[in-house]
Amino acid sequence: MSLEITFLGTGSAFPSPARGASALVLRREGRCWLFDCGEGTQTQLMRSHLRAARITKIFITHLHGDHIFGLPGLLCTLSLQSSPDGSSRAPVEIFGPLGLRSFLRRSLELSHSQLLFPYAVHELVPTPDQCPPEEFKDFSGWDRGEEGPPGRVLRLDPGEDSYLLLEDEQLVMRAFRLFHRVPSFGFVLEEKPRPGKLNVQKLKELG
């Protein structure tokens, strides 16, 4: 499995002329997975060899602004690059902490933005021990009774220490809890074992 990692931004709190806010792209088999989308991510993408239209999955570590303020704008740009019926691109899957769906919906609604492609928001339900008690907020009821993009709500199973996000014949993608000022997640990409091939005739010749 061939993987390529491109750092688009490593800055903290705010971007600078020489360093963008948090964003990283993992390219796999021509598809791009974006991790965090700080302010200026679109500009950094334009400066790179990557194409925004290749982004099929987005993973958000936490809801601090330097990790998410670029996301609504990026989605709008992807929409402008889509055909009117949305048939030119696959659905974009977005993973992140509980509250991400509400942030996106409000941002797009208040800016009168309509996305011309399908997308889904999969929210990870944090546990109260992921941040200082006074910083923990329960966003579980914010979207009750309101329509929004499709997506799953992922809870930590009893006895487990990670959330299963994706799995195919080559890899497994999981999220695990981090301690920060607000609930935060790290992401782990694991390649499945690849059985080798034995040259039986050569083994026989070698005894």
Side-chain angles (χ1 to χ4, degrees):
M1 181 172 59
S2 176
L3 299 175
E4 178 186 285
I5 294 176
T6 302
F7 291 90
L8 298 176
T10 58
S12 177
F14 56 87
S16 73
R19 186 169 63 180
S22 182
L24 178 152
V25 171
L26 183 147
R27 188 166 67 167
R28 173 197 176 212
E29 298 176 351
R31 303 290 184 181
C32 292
W33 295 2
L34 176 65
F35 293 80
D36 282 339
C37 190
E39 183 182 354
T41 296
Q42 290 192 73
T43 305
Q44 294 296 87
L45 275 168
M46 293 174 194
R47 291 173 176 163
S48 75
H49 63 285
L50 303 168
R51 291 178 54 202
R54 295 281 187 179
I55 295 174
T56 59
K57 294 181 180 12
I58 300 172
F59 302 86
I60 301 297
T61 58
H62 63 290
L63 299 182
H64 275 155
D66 55 336
H67 293 254
I68 63 170
F69 281 163
L71 185 54
L74 175 64
L75 294 178
C76 289
T77 295
L78 294 179
S79 180
L80 290 172
Q81 296 173 349
S82 300
S83 63
D85 61 359
S87 61
S88 64
R89 65 171 297 119
V92 174
E93 292 190 278
I94 306 171
F95 298 81
L98 199 65
L100 181 59
R101 176 191 300 269
S102 182
F103 167 75
L104 281 176
R105 189 175 71 249
R106 297 299 181 215
S107 298
L108 297 172
E109 181 182 352
L110 291 171
S111 61
H112 298 268
S113 303
Q114 294 182 337
L115 302 186
L116 301 178
F117 63 90
Y119 73 105
V121 180
H122 309 294
E123 293 185 301
L124 306 173
V125 179
T127 57
D129 58 351
Q130 285 182 245
C131 67
E134 64 273 13
E135 297 284 352
F136 186 82
K137 294 181 180 178
D138 183 7
F139 297 117
S140 57
W142 279 34
D143 298 313
R144 194 165 293 150
E146 296 188 43
E147 282 193 28
R152 296 175 290 155
V153 175
L154 304 169
R155 292 178 170 82
L156 191 65
D157 292 331
E160 295 289 332
D161 60 1
S162 64
Y163 304 68
L164 177 62
L165 306 184
L166 303 165
E167 184 173 11
D168 62 24
E169 67 281 354
Q170 289 185 313
L171 59 82
V172 177
M173 185 75 173
R174 296 182 181 275
F176 60 92
R177 296 170 296 165
L178 297 174
F179 187 85
H180 190 36
R181 281 181 45 231
V182 296
S184 183
F185 295 91
F187 300 99
V188 174
L189 184 69
E190 296 178 293
E191 186 177 7
K192 290 184 176 179
R194 291 185 295 172
K197 294 181 179 180
L198 290 175
N199 186 330
V200 178
Q201 183 59 39
K202 189 68 175 178
L203 288 173
K204 289 179 178 178
E205 292 173 1
L206 294 172

